[in-house]
Amino acid sequence: MLERELKVSNRLGLHARAAAKLVQVLSAFKAQVTLLGRGREVNAKSIMGVLLLAAAPGSTLVMRADGEDEAEALAAAVALFERRFDEDD
């Protein structure tokens, strides 16, 4: 299992469009991926789960990936967070 702390740095936080992008990116991988934030742990491949975190700009989340392609899944998610979900700010 791999784990990484991520900061939500896009202007609107983890809103519907950003959550959908995250779920879309992670759905290509077999690994199970969870997000932890605000005392909750959710399936990062579930848009409802991701939205439930209500992660505001500047908040910190922990992502855990477990499975045969865990490193690739985590790297893809980290890249998306670092690109600020491809939003023009």
Side-chain angles (χ1 to χ4, degrees), residues 2 10 12 18 23-24 39 50-51 53 60 62 65 74 76 80 84:
L2 299 176
N10 59 319
L12 298 174
V23 169
Q24 182 181 14
V50 175
L51 289 173
L53 292 176
T60 301
V62 174
L74 192 57
L80 186 61
R84 302 164 96 176

Side-chain angles (χ1 to χ4, degrees), residues 13-53:
L14 214 44
H15 58 90
R17 201 169 327 127
K21 276 191 174 187
L22 179 62
V23 169
Q24 182 181 14
V25 164
L26 292 175
S27 67
F29 299 97
K30 293 179 182 178
Q32 292 189 0
V33 185
T34 58
L35 271 174
L36 292 84
R38 301 182 59 208
R40 297 177 185 215
E41 182 172 2
V42 300
N43 179 354
K45 293 183 179 183
S46 162
I47 192 161
M48 293 305 293
V50 175
L51 289 173
L52 186 65
L53 292 176

